[in-house]
Amino acid sequence: MNTSFKFLIPTIFIALGFIISCNDDDLAGEKVPNVNHNTSPATAAVASPPPIQQPNPTPTTKEEEEEEEKPDFDINDIDPEDISRRKKNIEEEIKKLEDESTKHFDEYYQLADVQKRIMEEMKIKKMIMRSKPVGSEAQAIAQKDFEDQKKLAQDKLELIKEKNNILHNIIKALTKAREEKKDLHKKQEYFLKKQKKEKEQKEKEHKNN
């Protein structure tokens, strides 16, 4: 699963920033400055990185190719049966982690959607509260409604942060498992290639004899 993980943190802190901004000073009925509410941290301009200059490919000699083929492990330590078994286990683990990742991402999207609706309701309740006469009973009732909605948003935000941590750990484990599978595949390919070369060499020597 190649789902991007970058959107999680901005979503959480945009929500957190909105909730924190609804402080006690706002509740006193002060005039709100005229700001562009369509602007958010998520839409801030980000400087593009400079283009990466790709080096021109240089021809390699036979000695360099042989040097590149040298592995960082000892072929005598390779047990093909053990590698096959470990590859099967790691593939099962990757499948399990991918399923968990899909499940938790779906739950995250659901939580984010609920949080969005709660925050929209917060805005409405805040507008109602500010429309009431300062110090009146109507304002006190509207303020309580707003505070209840604010508390609900904070509780949901904690759930989103917990889900964020779970997804972080799953993706970290998934990356590690995929790297391990890649390493096992590399050892397996090298072992088979080495065996093939040795077999061809023996056949060649046999013909010469």
Side-chain angles (χ1 to χ4, degrees):
M1 180 178 179
N2 296 322
T3 308
S4 174
F5 191 63
K6 294 181 180 179
F7 74 94
L8 297 177
I9 298 296
T11 303
I12 290 173
F13 285 100
I14 289 170
L16 181 60
F18 178 82
I19 294 172
I20 292 175
S21 70
C22 302
N23 52 34
D24 293 335
D25 292 336
D26 291 334
L27 301 182
E30 295 180 352
K31 183 178 179 180
V32 183
N34 184 20
V35 296
N36 182 6
H37 293 287
N38 293 325
T39 303
S40 70
T43 59
V46 179
S48 299
I52 300 174
Q53 296 294 335
Q54 296 292 343
N56 293 328
T58 55
T60 57
T61 63
K62 184 177 180 181
E63 291 77 10
E64 289 174 338
E65 290 178 355
E66 291 177 352
E67 184 68 22
E68 290 177 357
E69 290 180 357
K70 290 182 179 180
D72 54 356
F73 47 81
D74 188 350
I75 190 171
N76 295 321
D77 296 334
I78 297 177
D79 182 349
E81 292 184 0
D82 178 61
I83 287 181
S84 296
R85 182 174 62 255
R86 289 167 62 189
K87 275 189 70 176
K88 181 180 178 182
N89 291 338
I90 204 72
E91 286 169 355
E92 291 175 353
E93 181 182 351
I94 289 173
K95 178 63 169 61
K96 180 181 178 182
L97 288 169
E98 287 177 340
D99 290 343
E100 288 182 12
S101 177
T102 300
K103 172 180 175 290
H104 287 289
F105 264 112
D106 289 343
E107 292 175 357
Y108 175 87
Y109 283 124
Q110 292 172 8
L111 284 170
D113 186 58
V114 170
Q115 181 74 335
K116 181 180 177 181
R117 293 198 299 268
I118 290 174
M119 291 173 66
E120 288 297 327
E121 188 66 21
M122 277 181 63
K123 293 178 183 178
I124 295 172
K125 290 184 180 297
K126 189 175 184 179
M127 291 173 61
I128 293 173
M129 176 188 68
R130 287 181 168 179
S131 69
K132 304 300 180 182
V134 177
S136 66
E137 182 180 354
Q139 189 203 34
I141 294 173
Q143 180 173 330
K144 184 179 184 307
D145 289 343
F146 171 77
E147 289 290 347
D148 290 343
Q149 194 72 14
K150 179 180 175 182
K151 177 64 168 57
L152 179 61
Q154 289 171 332
D155 292 341
K156 292 296 181 183
L157 181 60
E158 288 301 316
L159 292 177
I160 292 175
K161 289 164 70 176
E162 289 175 10
K163 187 65 65 178
N164 179 70
N165 291 333
I166 292 172
L167 282 166
H168 172 76
N169 292 331
I170 290 175
I171 292 174
K172 185 178 178 181
L174 191 54
T175 301
K176 182 179 178 181
R178 285 171 175 164
E179 286 296 324
E180 184 177 348
K181 179 185 175 182
K182 182 179 178 181
D183 182 62
L184 290 171
H185 181 73
K186 180 181 177 181
K187 290 180 178 180
Q188 189 178 54
E189 286 292 307
Y190 181 78
F191 181 82
L192 295 174
K193 186 176 181 181
K194 199 73 173 177
Q195 274 194 329
K196 182 180 178 181
K197 282 186 176 181
E198 290 176 356
K199 182 180 178 181
E200 290 174 350
Q201 183 66 26
K202 288 179 180 180
E203 290 176 349
K204 185 177 180 181
E205 292 174 356
H206 180 71
K207 288 180 180 179
N208 292 335
N209 293 333

